[in-house]
Amino acid sequence: PYFYFCHNSKFENPPLPLKTKRMSSSNGATTPVMEENERSELGLESFHDWKPTQNAFGDNFRNYEDSKRQEIVQMTYEIMHTRQTVEFGEKVREEWLKFNKGEFTVMEMIALLDNLVDDSDPDNELPNSIHDFQTAERIRKVWPDQDWFHLVGLLHDVGKVLALPEVAGEHVLEQWAVVGDTFVVGCEPAEACVFGKKSFAKNPDLQHPVYSTELGMYEAGCGLDNLMISFGHDEYMYQVLKHNGCTIPEEGLAMIRFHSLYPWHDARAYMQFEAPEDAEKLKWVKEFNKFDLYSKGDELPDVEALKPYYQSLLEKYGLGGKLKW
């Protein structure tokens, strides 16, 4: 049915309102959600506004026109925008949300990311493991008292193990199905996507009588949680954390799930689908993304010295042991 992801999601239940203090998950764990007085104490009315001027190459951030990595970046997006369809999204979720690819600790997975350089990133050619610690440490400096936020910085890109044969085996995904800016499938592409709407010209969903329309297979106001986002590391890591009983607040989980949805949080596309609770998601995702993007020009962290602190946070939020992936 066309409204499947609005009315019959088999991957997760819609979230409770953000004012709910604790949320129960399917495996019996509870996820804390901050109340309004707690948000006020964090100073959410005045988010931290800092922005370096250059990336690791001395270039502007998110330069998709003539960056040092232009060829590989553009090729990755062209394939992504052709092959990420509703049909692909359903099949890849069916395969990867079984969580039967093995049991690994978070630190084991981060170590594997030493082998991955993101082909969609014009700002960085370091292994992704380094970027995870860069992001976490930048957040830690600015938000010293919110340790769950530090952990979000560490975890946000770990889902890129989808592209590593050490985890995926014969089901390994090419990077176009793992990295890069995400977008909503099952509706008309947004012009705000990297390389614009024209980059979707060969996507078969544009020939579909429903998927090619503004609302597509959704209803107006159905909420971000009920959209099928192009599959990649964001959705996978979010689902891994939920499946394994993570107790990071829902605001932090939303950062992980939607941090690559730049057309939404940066250019404000897909507003026709927003529900009232998405306004709070937007604030937190935008706050997170400053650290994700602009930490790529930071100095290299001493990973070994930092591991004990972040392992303690993994223990605190229910992720200290081996997880099912």
Side-chain angles (χ1 to χ4, degrees), residues 28-94:
T30 55
T31 301
V33 179
M34 290 180 294
E35 293 180 337
E36 295 299 330
N37 62 331
E38 292 178 289
R39 293 194 184 97
S40 297
E41 292 171 3
L42 295 183
L44 285 182
E45 69 282 353
S46 57
F47 278 101
H48 302 280
D49 189 16
W50 63 276
K51 186 179 294 187
T53 58
Q54 294 182 331
N55 65 15
F57 303 124
D59 195 1
N60 295 327
F61 286 92
R62 290 180 60 83
N63 173 8
Y64 292 101
E65 297 179 359
D66 55 2
S67 75
K68 180 180 177 181
R69 309 189 72 226
Q70 186 68 23
E71 183 176 355
I72 186 65
V73 169
Q74 187 161 347
M75 181 179 68
T76 301
Y77 275 104
E78 287 177 354
I79 299 172
M80 178 198 305
H81 290 176
T82 298
R83 299 184 184 178
Q84 286 268 11
T85 63
V86 171
E87 181 181 9
F88 173 77
E90 291 174 342
K91 287 182 177 179
V92 75
R93 283 168 170 80
E94 187 67 31

Side-chain angles (χ1 to χ4, degrees), residues 96 100 117 130 136 160 176 180 212 264 285:
W96 276 96
N100 63 354
V117 175
I130 300 298
K160 291 179 182 179
W176 61 263
S212 59
W264 170 65
V285 173

Side-chain angles (χ1 to χ4, degrees), residues 263-278:
W264 170 65
H265 66 71
D266 186 57
R268 301 301 289 123
Y270 310 123
M271 291 176 65
Q272 69 269 31
F273 301 125
E274 290 181 334
E277 61 268 20
D278 293 328

Side-chain angles (χ1 to χ4, degrees), residues 76-250:
T76 301
Y77 275 104
E78 287 177 354
I79 299 172
M80 178 198 305
H81 290 176
T82 298
R83 299 184 184 178
Q84 286 268 11
T85 63
V86 171
E87 181 181 9
F88 173 77
E90 291 174 342
K91 287 182 177 179
V92 75
R93 283 168 170 80
E94 187 67 31
E95 176 58 46
W96 276 96
L97 301 189
K98 296 175 182 176
F99 306 108
N100 63 354
K101 302 301 184 289
E103 296 189 8
F104 304 86
T105 68
V106 169
M107 288 300 182
E108 287 173 338
M109 288 302 212
I110 291 174
L112 289 176
L113 290 176
D114 285 346
N115 303 319
L116 181 74
V117 175
D118 187 332
D119 287 345
S120 72
D121 192 345
D123 297 318
N124 190 18
E125 59 183 358
L126 291 171
N128 230 108
S129 56
I130 300 298
H131 171 59
D132 290 342
F133 282 98
Q134 284 178 320
T135 305
E137 283 297 284
R138 174 61 73 169
I139 293 170
R140 187 178 175 187
K141 289 177 181 178
V142 178
W143 291 83
D145 299 325
Q146 285 68 46
D147 59 3
W148 59 267
F149 200 171
H150 314 165
L151 187 55
V152 167
L154 184 74
L155 295 173
H156 77 284
D157 274 351
V158 178
K160 291 179 182 179
V161 296
L162 289 163
L164 298 178
E166 297 93 330
V167 177
E170 63 181 12
H171 300 288
V172 66
L173 296 178
E174 295 181 53
Q175 286 208 29
W176 61 263
V178 178
V179 303
D181 288 10
T182 55
F183 54 92
V184 181
V185 298
C187 69
E188 180 183 22
E191 184 59 39
C193 292
V194 172
F195 300 112
K197 187 177 177 179
K198 66 181 184 295
S199 62
F200 292 83
K202 297 179 181 179
N203 188 306
D205 281 359
L206 262 65
Q207 307 306 315
H208 192 281
V210 174
Y211 302 161
S212 59
T213 64
E214 182 182 6
L215 289 179
M217 63 182 189
Y218 310 105
E219 290 182 339
C222 64
L224 263 69
D225 288 311
N226 294 308
L227 300 176
M228 182 192 279
I229 309 299
S230 56
F231 191 75
H233 68 281
D234 304 48
E235 180 68 13
Y236 178 60
M237 194 61 197
Y238 169 81
Q239 296 290 352
V240 166
L241 295 174
K242 296 288 282 188
H243 182 75
N244 284 280
C246 172
T247 59
I248 289 174
E250 284 294 324

